Amino acid sequence: MARVPAAAALRHVRKAPLALVRHYRSRRTHPVVELVHQPHPYTRALGLIAVVLLGAWLGLLIVGNVRAPVGPMDTTMTLRPSLTGGTKINVSPLGALELRSHIAPLRLDVDVDQLDPVRSQALVDHPERLSGLQDEVAQDVGAGTLDLAVRSVVAVVSGATALGLAVYRRPRRALAAGGLALALLVACAGTAFATFNPKSVLEPKFSGLLSSAPSVVGNARSIVSEFDVYQKELARLVTNVTKLYDVTSTLPAYAPDPSTIRVLHVSDIHLNPASWTIIASLVSQYKIDVIVDSGDTMDHGTAAENAFLDPAADLGAPYVWVRGNHDSQITQKYLDRMKNVHVLDDGRAVSVAGLRFAGIGDPQYTPDRSVKAVGDPAEELAGARLASALRDQEAAGTPVDIAIAHNPRAARETDGAVPLVLAGHVHHQEMEVMRYGTRLRIEGSTGGSGLRAVEGKQPDPIEASILYLDRDTRRLQAWDEIKLGGLGLTTAEVSRHLPKENQPGAPSTATPSTPTP
């Protein structure tokens, strides 16, 4: 066996640690595979979308508005995220108007900030300029909208990009967020353009003090012809607002159109004394020709409640009434003796204010616990009796224009026998055209559901409707839905609606048509 010299062995031992260090360092130079958790692609996509939406919203909130002069007024135009879209015009302190101008995730808000005294005085000093004010306003609105569109693009892209950079800290991801925001904005704009409704101003919703301004409705087709261009109508709207400011915010009083019969539809007062004040105010303000009450004026129908009915005779217009399921025969007899009140039952017809009405009382009397309620079959039988009476009137040459029943179940049985039937009972407003052409109008509670209004978390609103009928054809031309805040509230809304046959482009009918049974 060969022997290693002691000196050589010693050198070998001393070099060993150096070799181990070199070996360890060489191993560290090799790549090390580490397992890093990667988020699911869907999670990353949702996160990116959340960043884009939040950044775009913040961008619009911070810089997405435009101060624009519109005629003699200074306005602020803003785009806001919205589930329903549309346009809202805020006219402080008078209230607001809402237009269903488009359906998209963006809403256009126009705030009328103030009336410029210099430009307003120029109109006062030179009234001849009013003739060209609409064109000037239309140009101002167009310029402001274009400026708003450009600024909104910059705000959305900048907001999404900035937030993306703050969250991801990667320029590529930030640019992707900005690009996606731009794509979403373009998609929203395309949707708004595709669903743009230039006639939306025909059916505005008013709130605040503006809701108390009486509306003028004549022949609906002549009205439609005046609203053929959206910009002109928006200009007319702004011009009217200017006039309101010019008369120190005093709402104008309009004269009723002589070609229109105005019917105030109320229902389900349920012993609320405030209802009489509201009805009298609406009669005076809207120059109502006739009031129709589709029942449940009382709550228990007892003789002790009869004095509550006394104001019905002095509301300023004839009062047509049918019995509801909370009104008794005692209630009906008391009203029947009143001057200026017309009680309808068993299909009886009466002509009031140029219209012919027929109605039937509710066959059931809810407060009477000694009688078992029959339910819907009784209502349908009563409706069939009313429909038979309507056909008898038609055969006799005295067709009925409006039928009245308290319960919608009964009212539906008149389909095809009358152009319009009114009902209540369900405490919310509805309007529909039934299978054979009869239009059913269901009124909400003009008493705010009476004492029941305080049973829920929020009091029920007080609701009524103004129905506008053509004096020659006696057909419905338009209607206003009125909602007043319930007990303890101070809100007010008036929404204008037109039947489809009176919408732009609908064929004209020169003579009234009778629905086919």
Side-chain angles (χ1 to χ4, degrees):
M1 181 176 180
R3 293 185 179 180
V4 179
L10 183 59
R11 286 195 300 270
H12 180 74
V13 171
R14 288 177 178 175
K15 292 180 179 179
L18 296 175
L20 290 174
V21 171
R22 293 192 189 100
H23 177 69
Y24 175 73
R25 287 179 177 175
S26 65
R27 290 188 60 186
R28 291 186 62 185
T29 59
H30 293 289
V32 178
V33 178
E34 296 181 359
L35 297 178
V36 179
H37 175 71
Q38 295 292 332
H40 194 280
Y42 287 161
T43 304
R44 286 190 296 176
L46 290 175
L48 180 60
I49 292 175
V51 168
V52 168
L53 293 178
L54 181 58
W57 178 74
L58 290 174
L60 285 177
L61 192 64
I62 297 172
V63 295
N65 60 72
V66 168
R67 296 291 300 273
V70 177
M73 294 177 299
D74 293 326
T75 68
T76 301
M77 299 182 181
T78 312
L79 283 180
R80 290 280 183 251
S82 170
L83 295 177
T84 57
T87 300
K88 185 175 183 179
I89 303 173
N90 300 300
V91 190
S92 178
L94 301 180
L97 297 93
E98 295 184 30
L99 307 175
R100 290 174 291 183
S101 56
H102 62 277
I103 301 174
L106 290 175
R107 184 186 73 194
L108 174 62
D109 286 355
V110 180
D111 296 321
V112 179
D113 298 326
Q114 63 180 359
L115 190 67
D116 184 90
V118 176
R119 299 198 299 271
S120 302
Q121 188 62 42
L123 288 177
V124 174
D125 296 339
H126 303 281
E128 67 276 3
R129 292 182 55 186
L130 285 173
S131 59
L133 182 60
Q134 290 188 9
D135 293 335
E136 179 185 343
V137 168
Q139 292 176 2
D140 292 342
V141 170
T145 304
L146 180 60
D147 190 7
L148 177 63
V150 173
R151 181 168 299 202
S152 297
V153 169
V154 175
V156 165
V157 174
S158 300
T161 303
L163 187 60
L165 188 60
V167 172
Y168 296 112
R169 301 182 183 278
R170 296 179 182 177
R172 184 175 297 178
R173 284 286 186 89
L175 291 176
L180 182 57
L182 179 60
L184 289 176
L185 184 61
V186 171
C188 291
T191 304
F193 180 79
T195 60
F196 178 63
N197 178 19
K199 304 301 180 182
S200 60
V201 76
L202 285 170
E203 303 184 63
K205 176 184 285 188
F206 300 91
S207 60
L209 292 176
L210 286 178
S211 61
S212 64
S215 304
V216 179
V217 175
N219 184 292
R221 300 194 183 282
S222 66
I223 293 174
V224 169
S225 65
E226 298 176 4
F227 292 87
D228 55 348
V229 179
Y230 180 75
Q231 280 192 332
K232 289 183 179 179
E233 192 47 45
L234 185 57
R236 188 192 305 273
L237 177 64
V238 176
T239 303
N240 289 341
V241 171
T242 302
K243 293 178 181 178
L244 288 178
Y245 273 100
D246 195 42
V247 293
T248 62
S249 301
T250 300
L251 296 173
Y254 298 109
D257 191 291
S259 68
T260 300
I261 302 175
R262 299 179 174 208
V263 178
L264 173 60
H265 183 197
V266 301
S267 190
D268 296 87
I269 292 175
H270 285 291
L271 285 179
N272 187 345
S275 300
W276 298 125
T277 303
I278 293 169
I279 291 172
S281 176
L282 292 173
V283 168
S284 174
Q285 190 173 1
Y286 282 82
K287 311 300 180 187
I288 296 298
D289 296 296
V290 56
I291 306 165
V292 174
D293 185 342
S294 49
D296 271 5
T297 312
M298 310 295 266
D299 214 9
H300 299 90
T302 63
E305 296 171 312
N306 282 347
F308 171 78
L309 300 168
D310 290 345
D314 301 309
L315 294 172
Y319 200 86
V320 179
W321 182 87
V322 299
R323 187 179 68 250
N325 61 297
H326 281 264
D327 304 317
S328 65
Q329 288 290 344
I330 295 174
T331 305
Q332 180 164 314
K333 291 176 182 178
Y334 189 85
L335 278 169
D336 204 17
R337 294 193 296 266
M338 281 190 184
K339 184 181 179 181
N340 212 32
V341 176
H342 304 271
V343 174
L344 303 182
D345 199 3
D346 296 321
R348 173 175 174 258
V350 62
S351 294
V352 182
L355 296 170
R356 192 158 179 81
F357 299 89
I360 192 166
D362 197 294
Q364 303 182 95
Y365 178 43
T366 300
D368 189 356
R369 304 300 181 183
S370 64
V371 178
K372 184 178 180 181
V374 182
D376 291 342
E379 301 292 346
E380 292 165 359
L381 180 59
R385 288 170 53 198
L386 177 57
S388 177
L390 294 173
R391 294 187 179 96
D392 290 343
Q393 290 283 337
E394 177 74 22
T398 55
V400 171
D401 302 308
I402 301 177
I404 314 167
H406 176 67
N407 195 306
R409 285 277 186 176
R412 292 182 187 281
E413 297 298 316
T414 66
D415 188 15
V418 68
L420 176 64
V421 59
L422 307 180
H425 185 64
V426 296
H427 292 203
H428 63 264
Q429 296 176 327
E430 294 182 26
M431 179 75 88
E432 68 171 286
V433 177
M434 295 185 287
R435 180 178 180 182
Y436 296 110
T438 294
R439 184 179 293 274
L440 169 62
R441 173 63 187 175
I442 302 175
E443 191 52 73
S445 173
T446 311
S449 301
L451 292 178
R452 296 171 184 82
V454 297
E455 292 178 355
K457 292 183 178 180
Q458 296 292 336
D460 293 344
I462 292 174
E463 297 178 309
S465 297
I466 311 294
L467 310 177
Y468 304 93
L469 289 89
D470 186 271
R471 193 172 293 276
D472 295 327
T473 65
R474 299 181 300 282
R475 294 298 182 263
L476 184 68
Q477 299 295 299
W479 72 94
D480 288 340
E481 293 182 354
I482 299 172
K483 286 188 179 183
L484 305 176
L487 299 176
L489 301 181
T490 57
T491 59
E493 287 186 0
V494 179
S495 301
R496 165 61 49 80
H497 302 272
L498 296 177
K500 287 185 178 179
E501 58 268 24
N502 288 335
Q503 294 284 355
S508 178
T509 54
T511 58
S513 58
T514 302
T516 56

